[in-house]
Each structure stands twice: as C-alpha cells, then as structure tokens.
Amino acid sequence: MISGMAFSQKNDDRLTPWFFGVNGGVNFSKTYNNDTFAQNFTGRNKTGFNLSGLISYDFSDYVSINSGVGIISKGYRIHNDTLSTNFKISRSIPAINIPLGLTFRQQFNKSRFITERVGLVLNYSFPSDSDTLYNGSNRKFRIVETNVTPLYPLFYLGIGLGGSTSKGDRYEFGLSYQQPFGREMELHVAGGEFLNKNFLLNYRGGNLQATFTYHFNLGNFKKSDDYFY
C-alpha cells in the first residue's frame, strides 16, 4: 500500500495542465432544413466520419481551452421516390476543421465528470467550383452543385460524459452539433420527364457528431528522474 501511494504521488507531481487528444466518431448531415422539395423528392441524412488531433490547456479542474485540426467527411442524400432503382444521389464532401472553444466540467467524483463544450470551428471543404451528379446510368435525375463558400465558420455546442485514469489521462463520450453561419453550396436539382422539374436546395455543412475522445496528459511523457535497478 505504501509503495502504491508513493507511485501515485510521484505520478501526480508529473502531471501538467496540458493535454494532447485524439478524437474520432461519426456524423450526420443533410441539406438545409428550411428548403422546400419538389413533389416526390426527399432529403435524407448522410452518415460520415470525423477524426482529429486536439490540444487543450486546463485553466482549472473545471475549465479548459481546446483547439486542434482534423478531417471530416459529411454531405447529403437526395431521393427521387418515383424511381424503383437508382433512386438516390449520395454525396460525400471532405473538409478540414480547426476548432477553438471552451470545455466546462462538473465532477461526480474524483474520476467521473460531465462536460459542456462551446466554441467555433473553421471549415475548409474540397469540392470543385461546379459539379454535376447523376443518379446512375439511366440519368433520371441530376444535381448541379455550385460552390458558394468553401471556407466558413461554424458554431458548435456539445455535451459529454467522461472519466479520468489513474495516470491523469482523460476520456469522454460526447454529442455535439455544428451550426454554420452561411452556406457552402447551391444544389440545382432536376428530375421528371426530360429533367423538366427543377428546384433549388442549399447545403450549409451543419452536422451532428457522436464522438469518443482520449486526452493524454503531457506530463506522462516526461522522462522520469528515478531509476530502478
């Protein structure tokens, strides 16, 4: 018991307020909710992934500032319900995200906590200036994408449930929503006979994320001054 207490004390002494984190998970995105679809057309959620590296600094046991850089794949799905085959166009859009925000923690006990996260994300997407997508070889409907703003900010808000390890690292399961301030693309949809039914949609890049994050305390990477033989 004495040996274990001594090891724990030495480990606590080496901990720092700096953490390096790895974050990964899935996200769900779609076209702008307030847009109006033509009859027999519907929008569906597109499932994507996100992976990022994070750096954070603890101002106290309860507040941290966070930043990092990551990649995200999001997009949209449009269905033409009059078709029995090749009835959808599914689009994945890769992007780089750079977040900056605050995390607030409330402890259940020494090793369990809940979190609230708030901040901004700078998004840069990689679509072409203009692209045309078809539902398949029969080409019964199409979407013409027009890029509006590939670089734009988003506001994010999230909650999480996490814990601390015996070495001072932290882990967290979280949900967050990213809300854009503008729009990324215009989508000109055409369907029907001879593609004569046309309507406009907007893709803004908002998304809901479910993630797992592991934060490594940088103090655990320091070389120990103690040598055992």
Side-chain angles (χ1 to χ4, degrees):
M1 290 177 60
I2 294 173
S3 175
M5 292 173 62
F7 176 82
S8 178
Q9 183 63 49
K10 289 177 181 178
N11 188 71
D12 289 344
D13 291 343
R14 294 178 61 189
L15 298 182
T16 78
W18 288 99
F19 289 80
F20 169 75
V22 179
N23 172 285
V26 297
N27 65 76
F28 307 93
S29 55
K30 61 188 301 184
T31 56
Y32 186 42
N33 289 332
N34 290 344
D35 284 345
T36 301
F37 284 80
Q39 186 177 9
N40 299 321
F41 284 84
T42 56
R44 310 290 176 88
N45 283 318
K46 179 75 172 68
T47 303
F49 73 91
N50 42 275
L51 181 66
S52 61
L54 303 173
I55 189 76
S56 66
Y57 179 84
D58 286 359
F59 291 119
S60 69
D61 291 338
Y62 311 106
V63 182
S64 302
I65 187 170
N66 315 281
S67 188
V69 63
I71 57 173
I72 184 171
S73 175
K74 50 188 178 178
Y76 61 85
R77 287 192 301 157
I78 307 297
H79 283 221
N80 184 338
D81 299 328
T82 63
L83 301 178
S84 58
T85 61
N86 297 324
F87 51 83
K88 67 179 179 180
I89 293 177
S90 181
R91 178 70 154 132
S92 294
I93 303 169
I96 292 177
N97 275 186
I98 302 176
L100 178 64
L102 295 173
T103 297
F104 304 94
R105 286 182 299 279
Q106 291 81 48
Q107 300 283 152
F108 289 130
N109 52 45
K110 188 176 180 180
S111 60
R112 295 289 185 272
F113 54 82
I114 60 174
T115 62
E116 300 85 32
R117 300 186 303 277
V118 62
L120 297 173
V121 175
L122 185 64
N123 179 98
Y124 181 74
S125 297
F126 297 99
S128 59
D129 290 338
S130 182
D131 201 359
T132 301
L133 309 172
Y134 288 92
N135 63 311
S137 58
N138 59 3
R139 298 195 170 197
K140 292 295 184 179
F141 83 101
R142 73 183 179 201
I143 298 175
V144 178
E145 296 179 347
T146 302
N147 199 351
V148 176
T149 310
L151 179 66
Y152 57 90
L154 304 96
F155 170 78
Y156 74 85
L157 187 66
I159 58 173
L161 179 65
S164 302
T165 70
S166 59
K167 291 185 177 182
D169 296 339
R170 289 199 295 254
Y171 58 90
E172 180 186 335
F173 298 91
L175 284 173
S176 63
Y177 181 72
Q178 295 184 352
Q179 173 66 42
F181 292 105
R183 57 178 179 160
E184 183 173 323
M185 290 188 299
E186 287 184 347
L187 309 178
H188 300 266
V189 186
E193 188 176 8
F194 306 116
L195 301 177
N196 60 355
K197 181 186 293 185
N198 295 272
F199 61 99
L200 178 66
L201 298 175
N202 291 281
Y203 174 74
R204 300 184 63 184
N207 64 97
L208 175 68
Q209 297 185 3
T211 59
F212 174 75
T213 307
Y214 196 94
H215 297 272
F216 299 91
N217 190 287
L218 294 184
N220 288 320
F221 295 93
K222 293 180 181 178
K223 184 176 180 180
S224 176
D225 294 331
D226 300 324
Y227 295 90
F228 300 92
Y229 298 93

